[in-house]
Each structure stands twice: as C-alpha cells, then as structure tokens.
C-alpha cells in the first residue's frame, strides 16, 4: 500500500477572472479517479495555501505511468461556478519516493484550449509514502519499468558533487548509467526546480525563498544579499514553516531529460517591453528589454584662467569628483592654466551615499596637492535626461574657495545630469564601481562594439612557367610553386614536366582581409634533394591590385608575371627595369567576392552573406538582445582573495559587442541592450560570459571561460519577448560544470515578411558555393585561417577582444576528435531512426491484428484508396496538415539552449574527457596513447562491421540479374516474365487489393518463419567471401 502526497504551496501572477481585477483561486488535484481540492483564497492573485493532499496509490510499481492533474480555478458565485485559471499535468516519474528527496518545483500553468487566457505558475512538492521500504528500491523499479530491464542493477549511492576533480569524476561516473537508461519518449515542458532555504527550528516563523539550483561545485549556498537579487528571483515573506530541505548539491532524480539545473527557466523581469503601456515608464524611449539603471553623470570638460599656485608661475591642475565615499580623479596637466580634460564620471544612483556633489580643482604637487577651488551641486536639483534628447550643454561655473566664496580667477566647464545606461556617455565613462583601477586597467573594463574584418577568398590559379634558369642544367628539374600570404603558406604538386617550361594547372585558395595591405609572395623552387630546395624566381604582388570576381561564369584573364631573382624581388622599385631576367609565370588571380568566407561552423553560423556589398540582400528583421544579469557565478579568482570580474561578449554576423566588466561580484547586473540587423532567420547568435583577468595589470594572463549560450533565430517567434535564465555550462577535463546562470531578454522583429518567407526557398549559402564549390578539405583549412585573421584583428583593438575569447566564441576546435561528441551524434541518428521503428511497430501491429478495430479501419482506408487512387496524395497532405496542427499545442515553449543530455556530457568517462582536451599532437604518455588507440580500434571495428553488412546487402541486390548465381538469376527472370504477363492482363486495382489483403492477413494465416522473398534474398551471393 502506498500514498501519494501532493503539497500545494502557492501560486504567483494569476489571471483576474472576477471582473474586478482579482480572483478567488483554489486548487483541484486529480489522481487515479480521486479528486481533492484546497481552500479558496478570496481576492488574491498571489495566493498561498500550504496544504497537503493525500491520495491512495493502487500499485506503486505503476506510479511512473500515471499522470497527476493539478488545476487552478476561480471560485465564483459562492462555489456554484468555477472559472479556469490554468492546469499542470505531471508525470508520476517525477515523484520522489521519500519526503527527504522531494523538492519544491515551480510549474508554469498551461492552457486548457486554444483560446484559454492563462498566466502565472504554481509551486508544488510531491512524494510517495511506501509502507515496506526495505523491499522496494524506487530507482530500480522505475528504471526496470521504463526500459524493461530484467536484471536489476545496484543503485548508485554517490550523488554528491565535490570541488576536487577526482571525486567529481567518480560521482559523474557512478550516476551517469542509471540516468541514461531512462526512456526519452516522455517529455516534461516548463518544469523548473527551485531549492528552498529553511531554518532548523520549526516552531519559529520563517522566511522561505525560492532560488535557482546551486552550481556543480558550490551547491546552493546561502542566499545572496537583497541588493544583488535579480528580477527573476522572487522573495516572499508569507511562506509558512517547512522542514529541512536537501542540499542544493544533491543530484535530484528527474525522469526523463536532463537535470533541472541544466534547464532554461522562464523569468518575468520588470522590463518596459513586458510591462505594457500601463506598467512601463512613460519616459522610457529606448532600452525596453532591460531594467533601467540610473546613473549620475558628471562631465568635466575644461577649465580656464586658473590661478597660479606654484612659485614657477603656473600650476599642474586636475579635477576630483567626490560623492560620499566615492571619488573619481582626472589626469593632471603640467603647467597649464587652461586645461582640457573631456572626462565623464558615472555614479550609480543606487549606491549614492550623499546628496552633495563636490567637484574640486587641485594642483598636483610632490608632497601635498594644493586646493584651487571647488563647485558644489545638490543632487535634488540635478536635471533628468532621457535619450534620444540631445546631450546636455555644459556650462561655465566659477570656482569657490573652501568657505564657499567665489574666487576672482578660475572657471570650470561642467555638465551634471541624471541619466540611464542608454546615455551615449555610458560606455566611455569612469564608473564608481571601478574606482580602484588605474587608467590602463580601466580601459579593459569598458563596453565596446567591434566589427570583424571583411574577408575574401583569394584564388591563385598557377598554370605554367617559361624559361626557368636552373643552377645545374645537367639534372632533371623537379619544380613546384610556393605561394605565401601573411601566415598562410601553400605548395603545388611537383610539375610532371621535367624541363624549363613546367606546367602545373593547379588552384590554391587563401583568405584575404581588408584593407588589402599585404603582398602575395609567389616563388618557383627546385627540389634538389630531401630538405634542400633552391629558389629559381620570385615575385611580390600587392593584393589591392588583384581584381575582384563577382560571377562564376566570368573567368578573369590570366597574365604573365615576370620572375625576379630573390634578392631583386624584395627590392622591387627603381632597379626593376635594369635587371634582365627572362623567366616568367602564367597566373590567374582573383578575389572571389561571391563567396561567403566561413569563419565559424556552418551548423551554427551567424552570417551567410557574400563578401561583396553588391550581392548582399536587404535585411529582413532586427534582433534585439538585452543582457540583464548573471546569477550564482563561480569565484574564478578565489586564490587571489577576490570573486569574479565578469563581462559578456555577444557575436552575430560581423558585429561583436562586449559589456562592461563588473568587478568582484558573483551576481553582476549589466542591463545593456544591443541591436543587430538580420538577413537570414536560419542563423545563430552566440553569447559568452568571461572573467576579466586584466584588471590587475597582467598583460600575459588569459581571460577565463564561464560559459556561453547559442540561440537559433528561426526557433523564435517574431515580436515575442523571450526572457529566460540560461545555464552557463563549461566542459573541462574534470567534467561538466555549471558556472552560473545568464539572464537574457531577446526579441526578433520582422520588417519584411515576404522576404523572410522567401528565404526558406533559397539556398543557405551564396550561389558561387554551389556553382563552383570548394572541397571540404579546403573549406576546413580556410575556416581555420579565417578564424586566425579575425582573432588577430580583434586583438589589436582597444580594449582588445583577445584571442582566447574569439576562439571560444567561434569554436575553433569544433572539428577535433571527441569520443563523447561521436556518441552524441550516434544517439542523434538513433533517435531519428526511432521514428521509423515506431512506424514499423505500428504497421506490424496492424498486420498481426493487435487492435482489431484499428486494423479494420486500415482495411477500409486501403480499399478506398485503391478504388480512388487520385485521393492518395491529397490524403497524405491532409494527414500532414492534421499532424502539424495537432502538434501546435505541444510546440516548444522555451528557446533552444546547450543540452547536456544530448551532448552526452553528464556521463562522459574521465579518460574520454582528457582525450578530448588533449593537445594536438598528443602530449600524454605512450601507454595512455596506446590505450586510446586500442579503444578507437575497437570502436572502428564495430563501425567496419556495420559498413560491411550494408555493403553485403547492396551487393546482393546488384547480383539479382548479374548471373553470379545462375540458378537464382534464372528464377528471377522467369518470375519477372510471368509477373509481366499477369500484370498486363490483370487490372492494377485487383493486384493492389490482393497484395494488400495478403499483407494485412490475419495471424491465423501467418507463419513464424521468414517469408519467401527474404529467404531468396539472403541466399544471393555477395563479395564478402572474396575479401582477404
């Protein structure tokens, strides 16, 4: 005997249904024909029940197949009528089998029908109570029931994650196997899990708060301070008493899918775009996807006629801006009475500690700086500026002495206003939270926008050479051509013609970038011996002189280029005409601007436009991304006694954006919004979070990865605002780690519907990729070169977007071998084939009359289609329409994200991870490399066997009429002749009816032995017996 306990806690943001802007909600729970309800909470859109409802479970072994329906209604007309407010369907597989394992989960309320008006969510906690717990292992019983496992496996006991690598690997290894064997045909949508922070004393009134599940290395931890709380975490003071909850580091049993802490959570931040007209700030004209953050801006422009303070008759002035304990200082000028600073200071209004702004001009001195004058402002009198208003005009203010009296000499030009992060002065301003940094380190914390260099494919067609002059005419020539562009070096094959007029007729591809300030170095060399080559001629061609090629049909004319001796080629100039050297080379050079230069993988590319501006199409929409905040970040600088200096980088198309760095915080709030033009909806935006390691002046340090998110635009609905919290997952040799959550707001707006719809009928890449394709081997090499060029260009910006950032965002090592990724791709293929397997099992059930009513209906449909064959295609398309319409109610509610379960990241073996992160070539010991090689041989052996079986079936099919087996071929041709005569004299409908009725015959007329065609096909000869 077992009991199911459903604890109904609270609900948030319900839909008003009483006509007066409120509701009187109650909850009704239905399970196995039993129905119970909670009390009614009158006039409350955020009700709190805290009631436990108990249900009898008929058979606890079948609990995983049951469904728990939780409905929320509005109690109207004194209980005689109820209005639907939302419901949740929960599978019994998510029910814990003890109260200690159960956790509070928050479920978004779903609609009952297409026109239902529902909003809000409900917090529940469920567990099953079993009387005889010693004879029942819930995990094993659920796993056996789902997968049909006959031999039970021991239940893993180690569910905890630790900080050290070894224990983490053991925990991952011990828990990965049971979790992977869960049937993935079930799917729970919008299922969010929160941990509750509770005290031990049950008698005292407590405060209970929902938080996101803790990270892999630090668990839940204490709740953060209120000042750092983002909008998507709700703190409620009306929660009731509760018992102790499990630690956040405990691995919860969730069936199926990945762990809740690896899932995307929908949030409701108070951004203007979500609050509508009545809730938004009427003055907010931009930045409607982020929360407004108010700053006090002080612009120090210049000063004039400053008094003399030194004996030399001048002064070294600088300005100090002070508000409470925050103090900002400009640079000083040597002996200048009319300095110009043009420096902007930004102070967060939330952290202002005083109502008085003190702006002081001082004279820099060796011992003690002298006071020159000051200007005071009251914060209450500061004007408010809202973009797109024009910038506030600075004004001259006369300096005052320490007593407040105006001095005769000295004025300073200032502008002081209250603004938001949408102000154009925000990116370059000095921020009060970075007051401890010097000017050099401060530059690396500012928000900036970068653009990738425009890339082109350079095609070098090497045709032939004439009149080469070898150093030794007695030996046969073995010549080849070496072409170098920057760090890119390619060689042709040796010419088959062994004399002074060789021919190659070979094309080489390179990646060139604007502004075309490099040279193409082409040299003809003779191979004298192993490792010994001799240059026979050389030429340097500027890239800016190479013509562009827009169309594939128009080949540019080839030209003869003179070859110079190596010493002369590097001094091309005045002596060029004086040297008489008859050798020359026949080349066709072109910048193919009709291609799109791939600098990222085509699977998640963010730009598919050709290099030429003339071939680019108009934009079809606008992508707006609000980078709100991050939560529960890991302390990346714990060894230095600090937390994390986090910043975000977003990349879409050729535009990169970087947020400002928030120092020493595990819960940074950026609230910065950026916009991109969209030319193709089938593209992906990448957003990464990093730890800034250059705030302490270390130039050789590398910024650390915290995690990244990829979102495909085609999966987003137009004009819908997506506000979600994404897990920041990082894969390392120690395993999968969650480094926190990133809170984003995304909106994709379409500006040209017709163009966007027609994009789905056009090829993904420009036309030249298909008319004159580049081989896969060359594409991979060119992609690597393009990544290197982009990384080198962006690392030279200020502040630099460093190489490790660019390589991580572009997935430079995506093509490297990974056994984990190979498994993931294999399971992806198997999941696709599972649909075919389902259709086969369904048809097999029809043939064996497992459901007689369904089989009879299929017989009737089959006879109708045979009699009216013109209905076949229309029936198929109508069936597809109905399926698509039916699946609309089950469409994905959340945007795509990094799926740890799909990536096979939760159960990867430690050695597989070390192999994935190993250098190329390997730097591991010989024994370890030998073990990996043996493992790869075993995997390849199985793949080899499968490929051999496929080849065998294909060869059997080809041998039907090849007379390799004369008797089998004779049987086939005789049968073919008889069939041709029979089908000629018999109507097609009769043949179709006979064949269909035979296929769908009753099991009484079937045999368990293989059919005659199968037996005949398996006896056909293959070439497998001819292999050595």
């Amino acid at each position: 005997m077992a009991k199911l306990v459903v604890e109904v806690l609270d609900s948030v943001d319900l839909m008003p249904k009483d006509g007066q802007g409120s509701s009187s909600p109650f909850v009704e729970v239905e399970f196995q024909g039993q129905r119970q309800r909670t009390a009614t909470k009158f006039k409350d859109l955020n009700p709190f029940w805290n009631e436990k409802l108990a249900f009898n479970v008929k058979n606890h072994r079948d609990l995983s197949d049951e469904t728990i329906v939780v409905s929320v209604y509005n109690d109207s007309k004194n209980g005689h009528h109820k209005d639907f407010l939302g419901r949740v369907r929960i599978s019994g597989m998510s029910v814990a089998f003890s109260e200690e394992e159960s956790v509070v989960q928050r479920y978004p309320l779903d609609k009952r029908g297409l026109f239902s008006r529902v909003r809000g969510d409900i917090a529940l906690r469920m567990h099953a109570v079993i009387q005889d717990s010693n004879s029942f292992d819930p995990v094993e019983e659920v796993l056996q029931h789902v997968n049909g496992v006959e031999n039970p496996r021991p239940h893993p006991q180690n569910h905890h994650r630790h900080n050290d690598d070894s224990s983490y690997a053991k925990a991952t290894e011990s828990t990965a196997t049971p979790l992977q064997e869960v049937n993935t045909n079930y799917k729970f949508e919008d299922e969010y899990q929160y941990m509750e922070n509770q005290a031990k004393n049950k008698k005292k009134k407590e405060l209970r708060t929902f938080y996101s599940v803790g990270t892999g290395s630090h668990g839940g931890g204490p709740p953060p301070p209120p000042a750092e709380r983002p909008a998507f975490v709700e703190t409620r003071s009306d929660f009731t008493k509760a018992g102790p909850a499990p630690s956040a580091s405990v691995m919860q049993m969730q069936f199926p899918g990945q762990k809740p802490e690896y899932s995307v959570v929908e949030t409701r931040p108070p951004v203007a775009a979500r609050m509508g007209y009545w809730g938004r700030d009427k003055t907010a004209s931009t930045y409607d996807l982020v929360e407004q953050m108010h700053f006090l801006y002080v612009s120090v422009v210049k000063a004039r006629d400053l008094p003399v303070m030194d004996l030399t008759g001048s002064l070294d002035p600088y300005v100090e801006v002070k508000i409470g304990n925050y103090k900002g200082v400009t640079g000083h000028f040597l002996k200048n009475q009319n300095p110009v600073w043009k420096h902007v200071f930004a102070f967060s209004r939330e952290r202002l500690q005083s109502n008085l702004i003190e702006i002081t001009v001082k004279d820099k001195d060796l011992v003690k700086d002298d006071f020159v004058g000051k200007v005071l402002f009251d914060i209450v009198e500061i004007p408010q500026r809202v973009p797109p208003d024009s910038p506030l005009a600075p004004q001259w203010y006369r300096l005052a002495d320490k007593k407040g009296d105006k001095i005769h000499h000295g004025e300073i030009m200032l502008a002081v206003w209250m603004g938001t992060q949408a102000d154009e002065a925000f990116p370059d301003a000095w921020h009060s939270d970075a007051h401890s940094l010097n000017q050099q380190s401060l530059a690396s914390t500012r928000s900036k926008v970068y653009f990738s260099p425009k890339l082109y494919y350079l095609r070098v067609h090497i045709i032939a050479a004439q009149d080469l002059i070898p150093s030794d005419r007695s030996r046969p020539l073995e010549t080849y051509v070496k072409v170098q562009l920057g760090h890119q070096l390619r060689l042709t094959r040796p010419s088959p013609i062994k004399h002074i007029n060789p021919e190659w007729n070979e094309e080489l591809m390179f990646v060139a970038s604007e502004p075309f300030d490099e040279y193409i170095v082409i040299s003809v060399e003779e191979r004298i011996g192993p490792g010994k080559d001799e240059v026979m001629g050389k030429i340097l061609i500027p890239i800016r002189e190479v013509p562009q090629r827009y169309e594939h049909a128009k080949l540019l004319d080839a030209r003869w280029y003179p070859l110079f001796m190596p010493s002369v080629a590097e001094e091309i100039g005045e002596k060029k005409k004086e040297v008489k050297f008859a050798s020359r080379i026949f080349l066709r050079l072109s910048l193919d601007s009709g291609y799109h230069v791939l600098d990222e993988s085509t699977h998640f590319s963010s730009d598919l436009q050709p290099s030429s501006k003339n071939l680019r199409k108009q934009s079809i929409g606008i992508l707006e991304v609000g980078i709100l905040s991050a939560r529960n970040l890991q302390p990346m600088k714990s060894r230095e006694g600090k937390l994390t200096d986090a910043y975000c980088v977003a990349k879409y198309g050729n535009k990169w954006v970087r947020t400002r760095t928030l120092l020493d915080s595990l819960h940074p709030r950026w609230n910065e919004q950026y916009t991109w033009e969209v030319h193709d909806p089938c593209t992906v935006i990448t957003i990464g979070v990093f730890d800034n390691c250059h705030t302490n002046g270390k130039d050789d340090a590398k910024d650390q990865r915290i995690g990244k998110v990829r979102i495909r635009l085609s999966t987003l609905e137009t004009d819908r605002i997506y506000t979600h919290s994404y897990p920041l997952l990082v894969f390392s040799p120690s395993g999968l780690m969650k480094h926190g959550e990133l809170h984003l707001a995304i909106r994709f707006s379409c500006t040209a519907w017709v163009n966007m719809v027609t994009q789905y009928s056009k090829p993904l890449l420009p036309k030249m990729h298909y008319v004159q394709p580049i081989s896969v081997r060359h594409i991979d090499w060119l992609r690597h070169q393009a990544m290197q060029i982009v990384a080198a260009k962006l690392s030279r910006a200020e502040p630099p977007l460093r190489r490790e950032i660019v390589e991580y965002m572009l997935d430079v090592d995506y093509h490297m071998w990974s056994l984990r990724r190979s498994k993931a791709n294999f399971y992806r293929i198997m999941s696709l084939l599972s649909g075919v397997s389902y259709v086969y099992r369904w048809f097999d059930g029809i043939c064996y009359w497992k459901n007689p009513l369904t089989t009879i209906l299929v017989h009737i449909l089959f006879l109708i289609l045979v009699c009216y064959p013109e209905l076949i295609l229309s029936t198929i398309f109508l069936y597809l329409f109905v399926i698509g319409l039916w699946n609309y109610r089950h469409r994905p509610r959340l945007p795509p994200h990094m799926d740890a379960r799909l990536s096979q990241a939760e159960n990867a073996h430690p050695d597989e991870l070390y192999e994935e992160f190993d250098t190329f070539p390997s730097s591991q010991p010989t024994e370890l490399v030998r073990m990996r090689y043996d493992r790869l041989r075993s995997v390849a052996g199985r793949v080899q066997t499968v490929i051999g079986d496929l080849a065998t079936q294909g060869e059997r099919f080809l041998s039907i009429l090849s007379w390799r087996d004369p008797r089998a071929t004779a049987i086939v041709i005789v049968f073919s002749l008889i069939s041709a005569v029979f089908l000629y004299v018999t109507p097609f409908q009769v043949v179709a009816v006979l064949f269909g009725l035979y296929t769908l015959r009753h099991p009484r007329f079937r045999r368990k032995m293989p059919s005659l065609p199968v037996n005949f096909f398996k006896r056909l000869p293959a070439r497998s017996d001819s292999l050595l």
Side-chain angles (χ1 to χ4, degrees):
M1 187 62 183
K3 292 278 188 180
L4 173 66
V5 179
V6 179
E7 184 176 356
V8 183
L9 298 177
D10 74 294
S11 190
V12 177
D13 194 24
L14 296 178
M15 178 70 70
K17 286 294 182 71
D18 61 355
Q20 301 177 1
S22 185
S23 293
S24 301
F26 69 91
V27 178
E28 189 176 86
V29 183
E30 184 177 356
F31 175 73
Q32 289 186 346
Q34 309 168 59
R35 185 177 299 175
Q36 299 188 38
R37 56 163 289 176
T38 65
T40 301
K41 300 297 180 180
F42 295 95
K43 303 293 184 181
D44 192 356
L45 295 179
N46 300 289
F48 172 71
W49 292 283
N50 193 32
E51 297 185 24
K52 291 185 179 181
L53 307 177
F55 301 87
N56 294 324
V57 181
K58 297 178 181 178
N59 187 358
H60 61 265
R61 300 178 185 270
D62 296 335
L63 180 60
S64 59
D65 292 336
E66 301 294 339
T67 302
I68 307 159
V69 181
V70 181
S71 304
V72 184
Y73 295 99
N74 171 46
D75 193 350
S76 59
K77 298 182 181 180
N78 297 325
H80 298 289
H81 182 72
K82 57 184 181 181
D83 300 320
F84 181 75
L85 295 178
R87 70 180 176 187
V88 177
R89 293 179 179 270
I90 307 170
S91 173
M93 300 182 70
S94 62
V95 177
F97 285 90
S98 66
E99 187 174 2
E100 292 77 13
E101 294 182 358
S102 64
V103 294
V104 178
Q105 300 186 18
R106 207 169 259 288
Y107 301 89
L109 295 175
D110 292 335
K111 297 181 179 181
R112 180 170 55 184
L114 187 61
F115 302 102
S116 299
R117 297 178 60 196
V118 171
R119 74 181 187 191
D121 50 45
I122 186 171
L124 304 172
R125 183 164 62 179
M126 295 174 292
H127 68 276
V129 179
I130 303 173
Q131 294 179 355
D132 187 9
S133 60
N134 295 329
S135 60
F136 175 66
D137 189 346
V139 177
E140 284 302 319
E141 288 297 325
V142 172
L143 286 175
Q144 292 180 26
H145 182 79
V146 173
N147 296 307
V149 181
E150 296 182 359
N151 299 322
R153 298 186 179 183
H155 176 57
Q157 300 297 328
N158 187 7
H159 289 280
H160 295 271
R161 289 194 173 188
H162 306 281
N163 290 331
D164 58 299
D165 297 342
S166 61
S167 59
Y168 175 81
K170 293 178 181 178
T172 307
E173 185 177 1
S174 62
T175 57
T177 304
L179 289 175
Q180 285 302 315
E181 293 185 350
V182 177
N183 187 355
T184 58
N185 291 332
Y186 301 91
K187 183 176 182 181
F188 302 138
E189 296 183 349
D190 301 335
E191 199 164 308
Y192 312 130
Q193 179 176 353
Y194 289 81
M195 299 302 297
E196 51 177 321
N197 186 25
Q198 305 169 344
K200 297 182 179 179
N201 190 359
K202 296 184 179 180
K203 297 182 180 180
K204 297 181 180 180
K205 187 177 181 179
E206 299 174 353
L207 172 69
R208 193 172 74 180
T209 308
F210 284 109
Y211 294 100
S212 301
V213 176
T215 55
S217 60
H218 288 268
E228 295 287 345
R229 186 177 66 249
F232 61 90
V233 177
E234 296 191 27
T235 304
R236 298 178 57 88
S237 58
D238 54 351
F239 284 122
T240 187
K241 306 172 185 179
S247 172
S249 60
V250 176
M251 184 180 299
Q252 303 297 336
M253 186 177 69
Q254 293 291 324
F255 297 98
Q258 60 182 355
K259 302 176 184 177
E261 61 264 34
Y262 297 157
S263 302
V264 174
V265 179
E266 186 175 3
T267 60
R268 296 181 181 274
V271 298
R274 288 190 65 100
M275 297 173 66
Y277 177 78
W278 297 106
R280 73 170 65 184
D281 185 3
K282 306 304 184 299
T283 62
S285 56
T286 57
Y287 272 45
D288 61 337
L289 291 183
V290 296
E291 301 177 46
Q292 277 199 358
M293 300 178 66
H294 295 275
F295 292 88
L296 173 64
Y297 292 96
V298 179
S299 175
V300 181
V301 184
K302 58 184 177 180
R304 67 184 180 187
D305 195 21
L306 293 178
V308 175
M309 304 298 296
D310 296 337
L311 297 177
T312 57
S314 183
L315 78 165
D316 304 332
Y318 70 92
V319 178
E320 178 183 279
V321 181
K322 185 176 181 181
I323 303 178
N325 292 330
Y326 290 107
K327 182 174 65 175
V329 180
T330 66
H332 70 279
F333 291 90
L334 296 176
K335 298 180 180 181
N336 192 339
Q337 292 182 264
N338 301 288
V340 178
W341 290 286
K342 293 184 179 181
H343 200 97
V344 180
F345 299 87
F347 300 86
S348 177
R349 193 175 71 174
E350 298 178 355
R351 300 183 180 182
L352 293 181
Q353 302 169 342
S354 174
N355 291 329
L356 194 65
I357 308 172
E358 183 177 351
I359 303 174
T360 308
V361 180
K362 293 186 176 182
D363 175 31
K364 189 73 174 178
D365 212 338
L366 296 177
V367 181
K368 183 180 179 181
D369 297 343
D370 297 328
F371 175 86
V372 178
K374 66 179 180 179
V375 178
L376 300 179
F377 292 93
D378 191 349
I379 293 181
V380 180
E381 300 176 357
I382 299 301
Q384 182 89 15
R385 177 180 177 264
V386 179
D389 292 348
S390 299
L392 192 66
Q395 301 179 17
W396 286 103
Y397 294 89
R398 185 172 295 278
L399 297 176
D401 56 15
K402 293 183 179 180
K403 296 180 180 181
D405 300 329
K406 301 295 183 181
I407 61 178
H408 298 288
H409 299 280
E411 288 182 319
I412 184 171
M413 180 178 283
L414 301 171
V416 184
W417 71 95
M418 194 71 71
T420 64
Q421 70 270 37
D423 203 295
E424 65 273 2
F426 177 81
D428 295 323
W430 174 95
H431 288 269
S432 56
D433 56 0
H435 62 277
S436 60
L437 302 181
N438 55 34
Q439 291 295 330
Q440 181 179 1
S441 300
L442 186 64
S444 65
T445 64
R446 292 194 171 103
S447 58
K448 291 293 180 182
V449 177
Y450 307 83
F451 284 92
S452 300
K454 187 179 294 185
L455 304 178
Y456 295 82
Y457 282 142
L458 172 66
R459 187 186 299 270
V460 181
H461 188 187
I462 304 167
I463 303 174
Q466 284 185 355
D467 301 330
L468 298 179
I469 302 177
S471 59
D472 187 358
R473 297 179 181 271
S474 61
R475 63 172 179 263
L477 291 179
E478 185 179 355
T479 57
Y480 66 92
V481 179
K482 181 170 71 174
V483 183
Q484 184 172 0
L485 175 62
H487 297 286
Q488 307 173 59
L489 179 65
R490 300 290 301 274
L491 305 176
T492 65
R493 293 185 295 270
S495 174
I497 301 176
K498 308 293 185 181
H499 57 71
I500 60 175
N501 297 319
E503 295 181 0
W504 295 277
N505 196 25
E506 188 172 344
E507 286 188 348
L508 302 178
M509 299 285 289
F510 300 88
V511 179
S513 64
E514 290 185 350
F516 301 141
D517 53 355
E518 295 181 321
Y519 286 84
I520 312 170
V521 182
I522 302 176
S523 60
V524 180
E525 301 187 8
E526 178 189 5
R527 184 161 297 165
I528 300 175
K532 186 178 181 181
D533 301 325
E534 184 180 89
V535 179
M536 304 180 67
K538 191 174 184 181
I539 185 175
L540 277 69
I541 305 174
I543 298 183
R544 64 173 60 93
E545 297 181 2
V546 177
Q548 291 193 22
R549 175 170 167 244
Y550 301 97
E551 299 180 7
H552 65 281
K554 296 182 180 179
L555 289 177
L556 301 179
D557 296 333
R559 289 179 52 191
W560 287 101
Y561 291 88
L563 291 174
F564 300 94
M565 295 301 293
S567 59
V568 180
E570 297 177 3
E571 300 176 1
I572 295 178
E574 297 180 357
K575 297 183 180 180
K576 177 178 178 180
K577 299 179 181 180
E578 302 176 3
V579 180
K580 297 181 180 180
F581 192 69
S583 298
R584 57 180 183 169
I585 186 170
F586 198 39
L587 303 174
R588 179 183 287 114
L589 303 176
S590 63
L591 283 171
D592 293 347
S593 56
Y595 290 101
H596 167 69
V597 180
L598 296 169
D599 58 351
E600 50 193 345
S601 176
T602 53
H603 301 296
F604 35 83
S605 180
S606 62
D607 185 18
L608 303 171
Q609 294 290 305
S611 301
S612 174
K613 288 184 178 180
N614 301 327
L615 301 177
R616 296 192 174 189
K617 305 298 182 181
Q618 294 289 336
S619 63
I620 61 170
I622 296 175
L623 174 65
E624 299 169 273
V625 177
I627 304 176
L628 300 176
S629 60
R631 193 71 182 166
N632 298 327
L633 298 183
Q634 294 299 296
M636 310 299 288
K637 295 184 174 69
S638 56
R639 295 181 179 178
E640 304 175 10
K642 299 175 60 178
L643 297 178
T644 300
D645 303 331
Y647 67 93
C648 287
V649 175
K651 194 262 182 188
Y652 183 77
N654 65 337
K655 181 180 177 181
W656 301 65
V657 299
R658 169 178 176 160
T659 66
R660 64 190 182 105
T661 301
L662 296 182
L663 304 178
D664 205 26
S665 175
L666 298 182
H667 317 287
R669 297 174 60 196
W670 294 286
N671 284 305
E672 299 183 22
Q673 183 172 336
Y674 298 95
T675 305
W676 287 268
E677 285 189 349
V678 178
H679 296 85
D680 195 315
C682 302
T683 47
V684 177
I685 181 173
T686 305
I687 305 172
V689 185
F690 303 90
D691 175 46
N692 195 335
C693 296
H694 297 84
T695 55
N696 52 5
K698 295 182 179 179
D699 294 334
D700 56 343
K702 290 186 177 181
D703 291 351
Q704 301 184 63
R705 307 171 180 177
I706 297 180
K708 67 180 174 183
V709 176
R710 284 197 293 259
I711 301 173
R712 182 170 292 274
L713 269 60
S714 60
T715 61
L716 304 178
E717 300 178 12
T718 54
D719 298 323
R720 176 184 170 184
I721 301 170
Y722 291 84
T723 53
H724 293 82
S725 176
Y726 299 84
L728 295 173
L729 305 179
V730 173
F731 216 55
S732 64
S734 58
L736 181 67
M737 303 292 291
K738 180 184 176 183
H739 284 176
E741 301 118 19
L742 178 63
H743 194 197
L744 300 175
I746 301 174
R747 177 172 57 201
F748 173 43
S749 304
C750 180
T751 57
W753 273 95
V754 176
N755 294 342
M756 185 179 68
V757 174
T758 55
Q759 282 287 340
Y760 285 88
S761 63
K762 297 179 180 179
L764 196 64
L765 294 171
K767 182 179 180 180
M768 194 171 284
H769 283 270
Y770 305 96
V771 178
Q772 193 173 357
I774 305 173
S775 63
V776 177
R777 179 171 59 89
H778 289 159
I779 279 289
D780 291 337
W781 186 83
L782 292 172
R783 180 188 294 116
H784 179 74
Q785 299 301 326
M787 290 179 180
Q788 298 299 323
I789 293 175
V790 172
K793 294 285 186 179
L794 295 180
S795 62
R796 290 158 54 183
E798 184 60 37
L801 203 60
R802 302 185 183 274
R803 179 177 293 273
E804 62 270 16
I805 306 301
V806 177
E807 291 181 351
Y808 181 61
M809 296 289 290
L810 296 179
D811 283 288
V812 68
D813 55 350
Y814 182 78
H815 65 285
M816 299 298 292
W817 160 255
S818 169
L819 185 59
R820 173 194 59 85
R821 197 176 290 126
S822 301
K823 289 181 180 179
N825 292 331
F826 172 77
Y827 287 121
R828 288 172 60 195
I829 295 176
M830 295 305 297
S831 65
L832 294 177
L833 296 180
S834 63
V836 180
S837 175
Y838 172 77
V839 174
Y840 174 79
R841 291 195 304 268
W842 175 83
F843 185 75
D844 187 69
I846 296 297
C847 294
Y848 281 88
W849 293 69
K850 293 182 179 179
N851 190 340
L853 179 61
T854 305
T855 304
I856 293 174
L857 293 177
V858 171
H859 277 75
I860 296 174
L861 178 62
F862 171 71
L863 294 176
I864 293 175
L865 294 179
V866 170
C867 296
Y868 302 95
E870 64 273 8
L871 298 179
I872 294 178
L873 290 179
S874 59
T875 303
I876 293 175
F877 285 106
L878 180 63
Y879 184 63
L880 294 177
F881 170 77
V882 172
I883 291 178
L885 203 61
W886 177 260
N887 289 338
Y888 177 78
R889 58 194 299 267
H890 302 293
R891 66 190 184 278
R893 307 285 182 174
L894 300 176
H897 63 288
M898 302 292 191
D899 196 325
R901 186 183 182 89
L902 179 67
S903 305
Q904 296 294 312
E906 299 179 2
N907 62 336
H909 192 273
D911 184 66
E912 297 176 3
L913 302 182
Y914 283 111
E915 180 183 13
E916 182 174 345
F917 288 92
D918 193 7
T919 58
F920 187 82
S922 177
S923 59
Q924 298 298 324
T926 306
E927 294 298 327
L928 184 59
V929 175
R930 181 178 301 170
M931 185 271 293
R932 292 175 181 173
Y933 175 69
D934 293 339
R935 181 180 60 196
L936 183 61
R937 288 178 61 190
S938 64
V939 174
R942 279 175 273 178
V943 175
Q944 172 184 288
T945 303
V946 173
I947 295 176
D949 293 340
L950 294 176
T952 298
Q953 306 305 325
E955 289 171 352
R956 286 173 176 171
F957 180 79
L958 295 177
S959 66
I960 292 177
L961 299 176
S962 64
W963 292 92
R964 290 197 63 204
D965 187 341
R967 287 165 295 277
T969 304
I971 294 174
V972 169
I973 61 175
V974 172
F975 175 77
S976 300
L977 178 62
I978 297 174
S979 300
V981 175
F982 175 75
L983 294 175
Y984 179 76
V985 299
T986 307
F988 175 76
Q989 285 85 351
V990 176
V991 177
V993 169
L994 293 177
F995 178 78
L997 294 178
Y998 176 78
T999 304
L1000 300 175
R1001 65 191 184 278
H1002 196 272
R1004 183 178 299 177
F1005 305 104
R1006 294 179 180 273
R1007 297 185 304 168
K1008 294 185 178 180
M1009 301 300 292
S1011 62
L1012 188 148
V1014 173
N1015 295 333
F1016 181 81
F1017 184 78
K1018 288 186 176 181
R1019 289 178 176 274
L1020 292 175
R1023 305 189 64 183
S1024 55
D1025 52 353
S1026 301
L1027 294 176
L1028 292 176

